[in-house]
């Protein structure tokens, strides 16, 4: 329904020229010639393969950084496909602030993956690979549009930022609404950028709307400058009827997506609920005893520090894009790309808007920045492109023009390579330091331990649990008491006879609340544990015994290295097995690692000796 060539409608470029003529009292200005030849374009298919390769590596190796990803998305998906899983209060019909449509979309792909293997861990990585493929397709679409509408060299720089940044490495395959919104933001950006064949306002609104409805409602803020551009140009050119039609086109598409969501959620919750509104209401209007702040707050500069770590020099360049665009226009009178200065500012501004809004929010999390990553990468590419245009000048009247070209190339190459090396080094460091939770459960897939109806217990390391996809059929994740005094997840109701489809989605679970108040019913006694996952670090709390050291009750099953953030260098982690529990003992190792065990620092998994003797 996008406007294309209906009736004698002016093309987008004609509309833009028309608006410029009105603004300059019909004076015509010739576009300055580019001082440098255009860079060679990279074929879109080549870019796609590179994006896909990096994303597949992320799917295979990236640790899960946010426990919300596990308990709010992987676990409900596991419940739909495997019949059991952990349930958070957000999925209680009493609160219903998570949409089942987002889960169903992923569950369908997960179910398809189960056709190739009955191993649940395979299904986990298969679904992650689908996310990698989806992200690569969105990245490629935006890359090709940037090359065509802005500048091929700018597109290549955009791709470099996306490929080598640790932030994108994790966001690309994270099973989170904010990552889903990041995908749709890229498609929405491409729609608003690409005027070839007509304005695509309807498609742009649709993609941003789908990201806000099915993904994360707050991501809709990013469309504001892009939509404002269309409204301003249409008012200048007098094409009011066309812009109204395009707006209605996009709005209707969004309402269709919302209607589908409400229908799916009504099926699962057994009531009508508009989840995007409930999310906004809880996070903005719920009061001091509820809302995001009860889960922790951070200082105003949290995102500055976080983005500096995840994007290093690219973040600095992104923040400089606005000032550099202004300087370039006022000093040189041109934009340096195929687009005018107004369009450059339009696409640079969402990054500043997003960073400002969320820096003022007390509750901050890294994933809240995911939707703006494409704009960050574009801003960084714009800044680098402007700097290279100036640095590459051969004008002998300028100081920079007197520098030998080979020296310029060496300096630029070293700076870019340094940024790439820092990003890759951080990515490798995170993978090597924090991947233990994805490795520690591997022995449980062995028939030696895969007893039916066994409990795998989690104590102080409950938030590192990678999901029930890492447990064999019949095993259940349970919690023992630790120092954490907030609300832990419960279990989806597994009733079958007489309750219809998926009763766990509409039966109200016990002990849930929206104030993060502890419920003792979420804990079980350690004597009911067949396996225990634990880690050992110095300075443990009295509520968190060092189960790894209790060799009479627990025997090690597996031990993996895991970084102790309170001690450098890292400490190793391992896993141990104890009388029916996954236990872990923590040991000080010469390498400075702690054990992470199924009990461990090393992270360890442990079981009870009686299980090992069977």
């Amino acid at each position: 329904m996008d406007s294309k060539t209906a009736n004698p409608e002016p093309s987008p470029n004609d509309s833009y020229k028309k608006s410029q003529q009105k603004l300059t009292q019909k004076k015509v200005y010739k576009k300055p010639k580019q001082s440098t030849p255009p860079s060679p374009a990279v074929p879109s298919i080549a870019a796609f393969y590179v994006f896909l390769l990096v994303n597949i590596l992320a799917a295979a190796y990236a640790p899960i950084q946010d426990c919300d990803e596990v308990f709010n998305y992987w676990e409900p998906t596991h419940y739909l496909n495997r019949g059991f899983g952990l349930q958070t209060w957000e999925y209680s019909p009493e609160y219903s602030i998570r949409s089942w449509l987002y889960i169903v979309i992923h569950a369908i792909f997960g179910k398809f993956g189960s056709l190739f293997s009955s191993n649940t861990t395979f299904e986990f990585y298969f679904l992650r690979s689908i996310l990698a493929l989806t992200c690569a397709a969105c990245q490629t679409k935006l890359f090709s549009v940037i090359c065509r509408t802005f500048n091929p060299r700018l597109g290549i720089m955009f791709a470099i930022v996306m490929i080598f940044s640790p932030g994108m490495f994790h966001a690309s395959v994270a099973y989170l609404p904010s990552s889903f919104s990041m995908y749709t933001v890229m498609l929405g950006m491409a729609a608003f950028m690409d005027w070839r064949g007509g304005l695509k306002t309807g498609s742009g609104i649709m993609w941003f709307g789908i990201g806000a409805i099915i993904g994360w409602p707050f991501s809709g803020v990013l469309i504001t400058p892009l939509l404002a551009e269309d409204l301003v140009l249409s008012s200048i050119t007098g094409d009011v009827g066309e812009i109204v039609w395009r707006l209605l086109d996009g709005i209707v598409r969004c309402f269709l997506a919302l209607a589908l969501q409400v229908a799916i959620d009504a099926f699962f919750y057994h009531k009508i609920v508009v989840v995007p509104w409930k999310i906004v209401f809880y996070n903005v209007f719920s009061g001091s005893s509820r809302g995001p702040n009860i889960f922790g707050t951070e200082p105003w500069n949290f995102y500055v520090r976080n983005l500096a770590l995840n994007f290093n020099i690219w973040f600095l360049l992104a923040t400089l894009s606005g000032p550099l665009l202004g300087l370039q226009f006022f000093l040189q009178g041109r934009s340096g790309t195929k687009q005018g200065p107004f369009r450059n500012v339009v696409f640079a501004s969402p990054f500043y808007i997003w960073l400002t809004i969320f820096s003022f929010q007390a509750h901050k999390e890294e994933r809240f920045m995911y939707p703006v990553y494409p704009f960050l990468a574009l801003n960084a590419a714009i800044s680098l492109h402007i700097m290279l245009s100036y640095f590459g000048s051969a004008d002998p009247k300028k100081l920079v023009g007197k520098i030998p070209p080979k020296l310029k190339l060496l300096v630029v190459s070293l700076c870019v390579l340094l940024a790439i090396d820092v990003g890759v080094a951080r990515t490798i460091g995170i993978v090597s330091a924090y991947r233990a939770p994805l490795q520690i459960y591997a022995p449980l897939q062995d028939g030696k331990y895969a007893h039916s109806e066994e409990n795998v217990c989690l104590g102080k390391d409950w938030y590192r649990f990678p999901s029930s996809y890492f447990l064999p059929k019949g095993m259940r994740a349970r919690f023992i008491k630790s120092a954490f005094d907030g609300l832990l997840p419960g279990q989806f109701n597994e009733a079958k006879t007489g309750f219809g489809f998926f009763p766990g989605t509409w039966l109200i679970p016990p002990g849930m609340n929206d104030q993060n108040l502890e419920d003792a019913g979420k804990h079980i006694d350690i004597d009911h544990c067949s396996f225990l996952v634990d880690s050992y670090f110095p300075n443990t709390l009295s509520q968190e015994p060092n189960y790894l050291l209790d060799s009479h009750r627990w025997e090690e099953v597996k031990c993996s290295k895991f970084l102790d953030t309170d001690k450098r260098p890292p400490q190793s982690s391992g896993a141990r097995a104890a009388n029916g529990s996954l236990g872990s003992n923590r040991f000080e190792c010469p390498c400075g690692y702690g054990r992470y065990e199924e009990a461990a620092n090393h992270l360890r998994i442990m079981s009870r000796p009686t299980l090992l003797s069977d």
Side-chain angles (χ1 to χ4, degrees), residues 279-302:
I279 293 174
V280 172
F281 183 85
Y282 180 80
N283 284 277
V284 180
F285 306 109
S286 58
S288 59
S289 63
R290 295 174 173 79
N293 291 354
I294 65 175
F295 299 100
T297 59
E298 298 291 342
W300 69 270
N301 62 350
F302 173 84

PDB file of all heavy atoms in Angstrom, residues 279-302:
ATOM      1  N   ILE A 279       2.845  -3.160  29.589  1.00  0.00           N
ATOM      2  CA  ILE A 279       4.277  -2.968  29.810  1.00  0.00           C
ATOM      3  C   ILE A 279       4.574  -1.501  30.096  1.00  0.00           C
ATOM      4  O   ILE A 279       5.321  -1.160  31.027  1.00  0.00           O
ATOM      5  CB  ILE A 279       5.083  -3.459  28.586  1.00  0.00           C
ATOM      6  CG1 ILE A 279       4.965  -4.986  28.443  1.00  0.00           C
ATOM      7  CG2 ILE A 279       6.549  -3.050  28.707  1.00  0.00           C
ATOM      8  CD1 ILE A 279       5.613  -5.526  27.188  1.00  0.00           C
ATOM      9  N   VAL A 280       4.009  -0.616  29.285  1.00  0.00           N
ATOM     10  CA  VAL A 280       4.220   0.815  29.477  1.00  0.00           C
ATOM     11  C   VAL A 280       3.661   1.258  30.834  1.00  0.00           C
ATOM     12  O   VAL A 280       4.312   1.998  31.582  1.00  0.00           O
ATOM     13  CB  VAL A 280       3.571   1.624  28.336  1.00  0.00           C
ATOM     14  CG1 VAL A 280       3.623   3.113  28.641  1.00  0.00           C
ATOM     15  CG2 VAL A 280       4.276   1.320  27.013  1.00  0.00           C
ATOM     16  N   PHE A 281       2.474   0.786  31.163  1.00  0.00           N
ATOM     17  CA  PHE A 281       1.848   1.186  32.428  1.00  0.00           C
ATOM     18  C   PHE A 281       2.693   0.746  33.613  1.00  0.00           C
ATOM     19  O   PHE A 281       2.923   1.528  34.543  1.00  0.00           O
ATOM     20  CB  PHE A 281       0.447   0.587  32.537  1.00  0.00           C
ATOM     21  CG  PHE A 281      -0.295   1.006  33.777  1.00  0.00           C
ATOM     22  CD1 PHE A 281      -1.014   2.193  33.812  1.00  0.00           C
ATOM     23  CD2 PHE A 281      -0.255   0.230  34.934  1.00  0.00           C
ATOM     24  CE1 PHE A 281      -1.678   2.596  34.964  1.00  0.00           C
ATOM     25  CE2 PHE A 281      -0.905   0.621  36.090  1.00  0.00           C
ATOM     26  CZ  PHE A 281      -1.628   1.813  36.103  1.00  0.00           C
ATOM     27  N   TYR A 282       3.173  -0.503  33.607  1.00  0.00           N
ATOM     28  CA  TYR A 282       3.949  -0.993  34.744  1.00  0.00           C
ATOM     29  C   TYR A 282       5.265  -0.229  34.888  1.00  0.00           C
ATOM     30  O   TYR A 282       5.687   0.105  36.000  1.00  0.00           O
ATOM     31  CB  TYR A 282       4.237  -2.488  34.596  1.00  0.00           C
ATOM     32  CG  TYR A 282       5.049  -3.033  35.755  1.00  0.00           C
ATOM     33  CD1 TYR A 282       4.431  -3.348  36.966  1.00  0.00           C
ATOM     34  CD2 TYR A 282       6.423  -3.202  35.649  1.00  0.00           C
ATOM     35  CE1 TYR A 282       5.175  -3.815  38.041  1.00  0.00           C
ATOM     36  CE2 TYR A 282       7.171  -3.669  36.720  1.00  0.00           C
ATOM     37  CZ  TYR A 282       6.547  -3.976  37.918  1.00  0.00           C
ATOM     38  OH  TYR A 282       7.288  -4.433  38.977  1.00  0.00           O
ATOM     39  N   ASN A 283       5.913   0.052  33.767  1.00  0.00           N
ATOM     40  CA  ASN A 283       7.228   0.686  33.825  1.00  0.00           C
ATOM     41  C   ASN A 283       7.177   2.187  34.054  1.00  0.00           C
ATOM     42  O   ASN A 283       8.170   2.773  34.514  1.00  0.00           O
ATOM     43  CB  ASN A 283       7.999   0.391  32.536  1.00  0.00           C
ATOM     44  CG  ASN A 283       8.540  -1.020  32.486  1.00  0.00           C
ATOM     45  OD1 ASN A 283       9.594  -1.308  33.040  1.00  0.00           O
ATOM     46  ND2 ASN A 283       7.822  -1.914  31.843  1.00  0.00           N
ATOM     47  N   VAL A 284       6.053   2.825  33.742  1.00  0.00           N
ATOM     48  CA  VAL A 284       5.974   4.288  33.823  1.00  0.00           C
ATOM     49  C   VAL A 284       5.026   4.781  34.910  1.00  0.00           C
ATOM     50  O   VAL A 284       5.318   5.762  35.599  1.00  0.00           O
ATOM     51  CB  VAL A 284       5.565   4.874  32.450  1.00  0.00           C
ATOM     52  CG1 VAL A 284       5.474   6.395  32.529  1.00  0.00           C
ATOM     53  CG2 VAL A 284       6.555   4.457  31.374  1.00  0.00           C
ATOM     54  N   PHE A 285       3.883   4.091  35.084  1.00  0.00           N
ATOM     55  CA  PHE A 285       2.823   4.636  35.942  1.00  0.00           C
ATOM     56  C   PHE A 285       2.494   3.789  37.174  1.00  0.00           C
ATOM     57  O   PHE A 285       1.502   4.047  37.839  1.00  0.00           O
ATOM     58  CB  PHE A 285       1.531   4.797  35.123  1.00  0.00           C
ATOM     59  CG  PHE A 285       1.703   5.612  33.875  1.00  0.00           C
ATOM     60  CD1 PHE A 285       1.664   5.015  32.621  1.00  0.00           C
ATOM     61  CD2 PHE A 285       1.912   6.976  33.952  1.00  0.00           C
ATOM     62  CE1 PHE A 285       1.815   5.770  31.467  1.00  0.00           C
ATOM     63  CE2 PHE A 285       2.065   7.743  32.809  1.00  0.00           C
ATOM     64  CZ  PHE A 285       2.018   7.136  31.557  1.00  0.00           C
ATOM     65  N   SER A 286       3.298   2.796  37.495  1.00  0.00           N
ATOM     66  CA  SER A 286       2.905   1.861  38.554  1.00  0.00           C
ATOM     67  C   SER A 286       3.252   2.324  39.965  1.00  0.00           C
ATOM     68  O   SER A 286       2.857   1.686  40.936  1.00  0.00           O
ATOM     69  CB  SER A 286       3.545   0.494  38.297  1.00  0.00           C
ATOM     70  OG  SER A 286       4.946   0.609  38.231  1.00  0.00           O
ATOM     71  N   GLY A 287       4.011   3.386  40.137  1.00  0.00           N
ATOM     72  CA  GLY A 287       4.321   3.888  41.471  1.00  0.00           C
ATOM     73  C   GLY A 287       5.650   3.392  42.009  1.00  0.00           C
ATOM     74  O   GLY A 287       6.321   2.552  41.403  1.00  0.00           O
ATOM     75  N   SER A 288       6.013   3.871  43.191  1.00  0.00           N
ATOM     76  CA  SER A 288       7.340   3.585  43.750  1.00  0.00           C
ATOM     77  C   SER A 288       7.493   2.164  44.272  1.00  0.00           C
ATOM     78  O   SER A 288       8.601   1.636  44.329  1.00  0.00           O
ATOM     79  CB  SER A 288       7.641   4.574  44.883  1.00  0.00           C
ATOM     80  OG  SER A 288       6.662   4.482  45.905  1.00  0.00           O
ATOM     81  N   SER A 289       6.400   1.523  44.691  1.00  0.00           N
ATOM     82  CA  SER A 289       6.506   0.165  45.236  1.00  0.00           C
ATOM     83  C   SER A 289       6.538  -0.896  44.139  1.00  0.00           C
ATOM     84  O   SER A 289       6.749  -2.066  44.416  1.00  0.00           O
ATOM     85  CB  SER A 289       5.323  -0.118  46.168  1.00  0.00           C
ATOM     86  OG  SER A 289       4.094  -0.072  45.461  1.00  0.00           O
ATOM     87  N   ARG A 290       6.317  -0.484  42.925  1.00  0.00           N
ATOM     88  CA  ARG A 290       6.379  -1.384  41.775  1.00  0.00           C
ATOM     89  C   ARG A 290       7.234  -0.720  40.700  1.00  0.00           C
ATOM     90  O   ARG A 290       7.874   0.277  40.953  1.00  0.00           O
ATOM     91  CB  ARG A 290       4.960  -1.677  41.243  1.00  0.00           C
ATOM     92  CG  ARG A 290       4.095  -2.439  42.221  1.00  0.00           C
ATOM     93  CD  ARG A 290       2.673  -2.575  41.706  1.00  0.00           C
ATOM     94  NE  ARG A 290       1.864  -3.434  42.550  1.00  0.00           N
ATOM     95  CZ  ARG A 290       1.313  -3.052  43.690  1.00  0.00           C
ATOM     96  NH1 ARG A 290       1.479  -1.796  44.105  1.00  0.00           N
ATOM     97  NH2 ARG A 290       0.602  -3.890  44.412  1.00  0.00           N
ATOM     98  N   GLY A 291       7.249  -1.314  39.531  1.00  0.00           N
ATOM     99  CA  GLY A 291       7.992  -0.702  38.447  1.00  0.00           C
ATOM    100  C   GLY A 291       9.434  -1.146  38.398  1.00  0.00           C
ATOM    101  O   GLY A 291       9.911  -1.903  39.261  1.00  0.00           O
ATOM    102  N   PRO A 292      10.184  -0.683  37.417  1.00  0.00           N
ATOM    103  CA  PRO A 292      11.541  -1.194  37.177  1.00  0.00           C
ATOM    104  C   PRO A 292      12.550  -0.868  38.269  1.00  0.00           C
ATOM    105  O   PRO A 292      13.502  -1.620  38.466  1.00  0.00           O
ATOM    106  CB  PRO A 292      11.928  -0.527  35.847  1.00  0.00           C
ATOM    107  CG  PRO A 292      11.085   0.707  35.781  1.00  0.00           C
ATOM    108  CD  PRO A 292       9.782   0.330  36.432  1.00  0.00           C
ATOM    109  N   ASN A 293      12.345   0.229  38.988  1.00  0.00           N
ATOM    110  CA  ASN A 293      13.360   0.652  39.957  1.00  0.00           C
ATOM    111  C   ASN A 293      13.544  -0.316  41.115  1.00  0.00           C
ATOM    112  O   ASN A 293      14.598  -0.326  41.758  1.00  0.00           O
ATOM    113  CB  ASN A 293      13.030   2.039  40.502  1.00  0.00           C
ATOM    114  CG  ASN A 293      13.188   3.118  39.445  1.00  0.00           C
ATOM    115  OD1 ASN A 293      13.650   2.850  38.334  1.00  0.00           O
ATOM    116  ND2 ASN A 293      12.805   4.332  39.777  1.00  0.00           N
ATOM    117  N   ILE A 294      12.552  -1.143  41.408  1.00  0.00           N
ATOM    118  CA  ILE A 294      12.696  -2.094  42.514  1.00  0.00           C
ATOM    119  C   ILE A 294      13.671  -3.210  42.167  1.00  0.00           C
ATOM    120  O   ILE A 294      14.086  -3.977  43.037  1.00  0.00           O
ATOM    121  CB  ILE A 294      11.330  -2.698  42.913  1.00  0.00           C
ATOM    122  CG1 ILE A 294      10.745  -3.543  41.766  1.00  0.00           C
ATOM    123  CG2 ILE A 294      10.355  -1.605  43.327  1.00  0.00           C
ATOM    124  CD1 ILE A 294       9.466  -4.270  42.144  1.00  0.00           C
ATOM    125  N   PHE A 295      14.054  -3.303  40.894  1.00  0.00           N
ATOM    126  CA  PHE A 295      15.008  -4.327  40.472  1.00  0.00           C
ATOM    127  C   PHE A 295      16.435  -3.786  40.390  1.00  0.00           C
ATOM    128  O   PHE A 295      17.332  -4.485  39.932  1.00  0.00           O
ATOM    129  CB  PHE A 295      14.594  -4.906  39.116  1.00  0.00           C
ATOM    130  CG  PHE A 295      13.237  -5.565  39.139  1.00  0.00           C
ATOM    131  CD1 PHE A 295      12.123  -4.910  38.668  1.00  0.00           C
ATOM    132  CD2 PHE A 295      13.087  -6.835  39.675  1.00  0.00           C
ATOM    133  CE1 PHE A 295      10.870  -5.508  38.702  1.00  0.00           C
ATOM    134  CE2 PHE A 295      11.841  -7.442  39.708  1.00  0.00           C
ATOM    135  CZ  PHE A 295      10.732  -6.776  39.227  1.00  0.00           C
ATOM    136  N   GLY A 296      16.639  -2.545  40.834  1.00  0.00           N
ATOM    137  CA  GLY A 296      17.984  -1.981  40.860  1.00  0.00           C
ATOM    138  C   GLY A 296      18.097  -0.712  40.036  1.00  0.00           C
ATOM    139  O   GLY A 296      17.387  -0.536  39.044  1.00  0.00           O
ATOM    140  N   THR A 297      18.988   0.174  40.452  1.00  0.00           N
ATOM    141  CA  THR A 297      19.219   1.430  39.740  1.00  0.00           C
ATOM    142  C   THR A 297      20.712   1.617  39.485  1.00  0.00           C
ATOM    143  O   THR A 297      21.551   1.001  40.150  1.00  0.00           O
ATOM    144  CB  THR A 297      18.684   2.631  40.541  1.00  0.00           C
ATOM    145  OG1 THR A 297      19.349   2.675  41.812  1.00  0.00           O
ATOM    146  CG2 THR A 297      17.174   2.513  40.755  1.00  0.00           C
ATOM    147  N   GLU A 298      21.029   2.470  38.509  1.00  0.00           N
ATOM    148  CA  GLU A 298      22.407   2.754  38.140  1.00  0.00           C
ATOM    149  C   GLU A 298      22.589   4.257  37.977  1.00  0.00           C
ATOM    150  O   GLU A 298      21.619   4.985  37.747  1.00  0.00           O
ATOM    151  CB  GLU A 298      22.764   2.048  36.815  1.00  0.00           C
ATOM    152  CG  GLU A 298      22.675   0.531  36.850  1.00  0.00           C
ATOM    153  CD  GLU A 298      23.748  -0.108  37.704  1.00  0.00           C
ATOM    154  OE1 GLU A 298      24.752   0.580  37.991  1.00  0.00           O
ATOM    155  OE2 GLU A 298      23.596  -1.279  38.067  1.00  0.00           O
ATOM    156  N   PRO A 299      23.828   4.762  38.076  1.00  0.00           N
ATOM    157  CA  PRO A 299      24.080   6.198  37.883  1.00  0.00           C
ATOM    158  C   PRO A 299      23.831   6.622  36.438  1.00  0.00           C
ATOM    159  O   PRO A 299      23.759   5.784  35.532  1.00  0.00           O
ATOM    160  CB  PRO A 299      25.547   6.357  38.277  1.00  0.00           C
ATOM    161  CG  PRO A 299      26.144   4.997  38.089  1.00  0.00           C
ATOM    162  CD  PRO A 299      25.057   4.025  38.426  1.00  0.00           C
ATOM    163  N   TRP A 300      23.758   7.927  36.208  1.00  0.00           N
ATOM    164  CA  TRP A 300      23.406   8.471  34.898  1.00  0.00           C
ATOM    165  C   TRP A 300      24.388   8.065  33.808  1.00  0.00           C
ATOM    166  O   TRP A 300      24.023   7.924  32.633  1.00  0.00           O
ATOM    167  CB  TRP A 300      23.345  10.005  34.958  1.00  0.00           C
ATOM    168  CG  TRP A 300      24.696  10.644  35.151  1.00  0.00           C
ATOM    169  CD1 TRP A 300      25.306  10.955  36.328  1.00  0.00           C
ATOM    170  CD2 TRP A 300      25.606  11.028  34.108  1.00  0.00           C
ATOM    171  NE1 TRP A 300      26.539  11.504  36.099  1.00  0.00           N
ATOM    172  CE2 TRP A 300      26.752  11.574  34.746  1.00  0.00           C
ATOM    173  CE3 TRP A 300      25.574  10.976  32.715  1.00  0.00           C
ATOM    174  CZ2 TRP A 300      27.852  12.044  34.022  1.00  0.00           C
ATOM    175  CZ3 TRP A 300      26.670  11.447  31.996  1.00  0.00           C
ATOM    176  CH2 TRP A 300      27.787  11.977  32.649  1.00  0.00           C
ATOM    177  N   ASN A 301      25.655   7.840  34.173  1.00  0.00           N
ATOM    178  CA  ASN A 301      26.670   7.558  33.159  1.00  0.00           C
ATOM    179  C   ASN A 301      26.840   6.068  32.874  1.00  0.00           C
ATOM    180  O   ASN A 301      27.812   5.659  32.235  1.00  0.00           O
ATOM    181  CB  ASN A 301      28.012   8.158  33.583  1.00  0.00           C
ATOM    182  CG  ASN A 301      28.530   7.562  34.894  1.00  0.00           C
ATOM    183  OD1 ASN A 301      27.818   6.839  35.592  1.00  0.00           O
ATOM    184  ND2 ASN A 301      29.767   7.870  35.236  1.00  0.00           N
ATOM    185  N   PHE A 302      25.911   5.248  33.340  1.00  0.00           N
ATOM    186  CA  PHE A 302      26.011   3.799  33.126  1.00  0.00           C
ATOM    187  C   PHE A 302      26.124   3.465  31.641  1.00  0.00           C
ATOM    188  O   PHE A 302      26.973   2.662  31.230  1.00  0.00           O
ATOM    189  CB  PHE A 302      24.786   3.109  33.727  1.00  0.00           C
ATOM    190  CG  PHE A 302      24.687   1.636  33.420  1.00  0.00           C
ATOM    191  CD1 PHE A 302      25.357   0.711  34.192  1.00  0.00           C
ATOM    192  CD2 PHE A 302      23.924   1.178  32.348  1.00  0.00           C
ATOM    193  CE1 PHE A 302      25.273  -0.656  33.917  1.00  0.00           C
ATOM    194  CE2 PHE A 302      23.840  -0.176  32.054  1.00  0.00           C
ATOM    195  CZ  PHE A 302      24.514  -1.092  32.843  1.00  0.00           C
TER     196      PHE A 302
END
